Amino acid sequence: MKKTILVTGGAGYIGSHTVVRLLEAGMKVVVFDNLCNSSSTTIERIERISGTRPEFVEGDILNEDAILHSLQKFSVDAVIHFAGLKSVGESVSNPLTYYKNNVVGTLNLLNAMRQLNVKTLVFSSSATVYGTGSTPPIAETAPRSVTNPYGRSKLIVEEILEDLYRADPDWKISVLRYFNPVGAHPSGLIGEDPRGIPNNLMPYVAQVAIGRLQFLSIYGNDYPTIDGTGIRDYIHVMDLAEGHLAALNYIDRKPALAAFNLGTGRGVSVLQMVDAFERATGKRVKYEFANRRKGDVATSWADPSLAFQEMGWKASRSVEEMCADAWRWQSTTL
Ligand code: NAD
Ligand code: UD1
């Protein structure tokens, strides 16, 4: 029988790409999203890409009854939980908003799931839980520490899930720690649509290339790296989407609570990324060097071997594909 998956935050950037993959894999999907950082046109586009329309509930995870209602109405088997706020700077200014949305919202979801005996969950965590103290490649066993309320909201939820699993081992939980998600669906129909001026590198680069922003400020050229600029593990959002499918299959086979890094295992500097973008798109990206950004680390990349060993998943898309797909979305749809 077809599995039914409730995807909180399924109209957002990573959620929408994952929904496409779930539908393509023959699953039934219910998107549960309050659209605070997305739009319902994404649902139409998911349908255009996959040929199937997911169910859509405009709902808030701060409303436990609404979650209960959807879990019941659609006889949900498992939940993938993307819904959350994700801006580090905003979380520093408005910590309570972040804790309420990301922590209280998740508690509501877990309570609703428990009441209906739906105990299979994939949770969107982040490499931010590794803080600034680890030397790459970073494995799942690296110590966790956080430097801002956004990161703390992810760490708190990870710890809540650990307590929940200890209390009731019937839960099947996969915690996925994403490194730096970039790129878009190759159709150019869905992608990342940051509001205002982007904070993250790839959308900023794409907006410089299209002429909406004048130049990229590269934060620091004096790091102890190959060219002095910061190094990160950029991962194509479609690889990430496939990681969620692998995680769902895995917890079905091997019930447990397990955390996995989703990254490529490859570090790329800011200058290397700019160069790859120019080569992949034929567009010039003007840049200037600026001071280091507060809170940044010099280098971060994953040891993704556990995800391969356990779930048989590994990222396969190149940096050039990430750039070409991000550009197709930026130049044709945004
Ligand atoms: P996104 O903002 O594009 O998607 C999040 C979705 O959740 C949006 O559609 C938003 O409308 C919805 N949402 C937010 N609060 C909600 C609420 N209270 N009720 C219902 N829906 C709500 O973000 P994304 O980049 O797709 O990130 C998805 C998840 O992955 C988030 O939990 C984020 O913290 C995590 N994550 C993202 C990154 C990244 O770089 N994008 C990295 C690591 C982890
Ligand atoms: C940032 C967040 C991190 C979050 C992640 C989500 C901070 C300090 N960290 O991580 O908590 O989980 O986004 O995707 O905000 N860069 C520039 N110029 C720019 C933008 C970025 O030079 O205009 C550089 C950065 O210094 C860094 C690299 O590009 O070296 C990647 O930056 P970004 O995309 O913001 O990701 P992270 O810093 O890894």
Side-chain angles (χ1 to χ4, degrees), residues 33-278:
D33 197 304
N34 69 357
L35 303 179
C36 70
N37 197 35
S38 52
S39 144
S40 59
T41 56
T42 303
I43 305 296
E44 325 296 329
R45 292 183 181 166
I46 290 171
E47 184 180 7
R48 268 175 73 189
I49 296 170
S50 65
T52 314
R53 192 181 177 81
E55 297 286 351
F56 173 57
V57 178
E58 187 171 343
D60 197 314
I61 53 167
L62 291 176
N63 180 350
E64 192 176 320
D65 286 341
I67 308 171
L68 265 174
H69 180 74
S70 291
L71 291 174
Q72 226 158 8
K73 176 172 173 195
F74 297 104
S75 304
V76 169
D77 298 295
V79 175
I80 306 184
H81 178 35
F82 293 101
L85 301 175
K86 62 167 181 176
S87 157
V88 172
E90 211 174 68
S91 80
V92 173
S93 320
N94 302 309
L96 297 183
T97 309
Y98 269 67
Y99 289 128
K100 186 165 180 188
N101 204 70
N102 294 5
V103 180
V104 176
T106 303
L107 281 175
N108 290 338
L109 174 67
L110 295 172
N111 264 320
M113 290 173 71
R114 185 173 49 102
Q115 282 175 63
L116 296 174
N117 213 27
V118 179
K119 292 186 174 174
T120 306
L121 175 74
V122 178
F123 171 63
S124 296
S125 189
S126 166
T128 195
V129 299
Y130 296 121
T132 52
S134 298
T135 311
I138 302 174
E140 290 80 357
T141 46
R144 291 174 295 179
S145 73
V146 285
T147 52
N148 57 69
Y150 165 70
R152 193 160 295 112
S153 74
K154 291 292 174 193
L155 182 53
I156 291 171
V157 170
E158 286 201 3
E159 289 177 336
I160 290 172
L161 294 174
E162 286 156 18
D163 286 339
L164 179 63
Y165 180 72
R166 252 191 298 272
D168 178 1
D170 283 350
W171 280 84
K172 305 171 184 180
I173 301 173
S174 176
V175 169
L176 302 181
R177 298 184 184 139
Y178 315 150
F179 278 68
N180 288 62
V182 296
H185 190 271
S187 64
L189 286 172
I190 53 173
E192 186 176 14
D193 185 8
R195 301 211 166 141
I197 297 178
N199 291 311
N200 296 117
L201 181 65
M202 181 67 100
Y204 206 106
V205 164
Q207 291 197 17
V208 171
I210 207 156
R212 192 182 299 169
L213 295 169
Q214 269 190 314
F215 62 89
L216 168 73
S217 294
I218 296 185
Y219 299 137
N221 62 344
D222 56 352
Y223 284 113
T225 61
I226 178 174
D227 54 24
T229 66
I231 291 186
R232 295 290 183 275
D233 187 337
Y234 299 96
I235 172 165
H236 197 296
V237 65
M238 292 308 299
D239 278 326
L240 212 54
E242 287 157 11
H244 290 76
L245 208 59
L248 268 184
N249 291 333
Y250 175 76
I251 43 183
D252 228 21
R253 284 197 318 271
K254 213 170 166 178
L257 180 146
F260 295 105
N261 285 338
L262 295 188
T264 64
R266 177 182 56 211
V268 175
S269 77
V270 178
L271 281 174
Q272 287 171 333
M273 187 52 108
V274 168
D275 181 56
F277 192 93
E278 290 184 334

Side-chain angles (χ1 to χ4, degrees), residues 302-334:
D303 172 352
S305 51
L306 188 68
F308 185 59
Q309 264 167 42
E310 291 289 315
M311 313 196 288
W313 171 90
K314 73 174 183 210
S316 65
R317 292 163 177 87
S318 66
V319 174
E320 283 70 23
E321 272 175 282
M322 301 177 201
C323 295
D325 290 337
W327 177 242
R328 190 173 304 109
W329 157 248
Q330 174 73 57
S331 58
T332 58
T333 308
L334 273 183

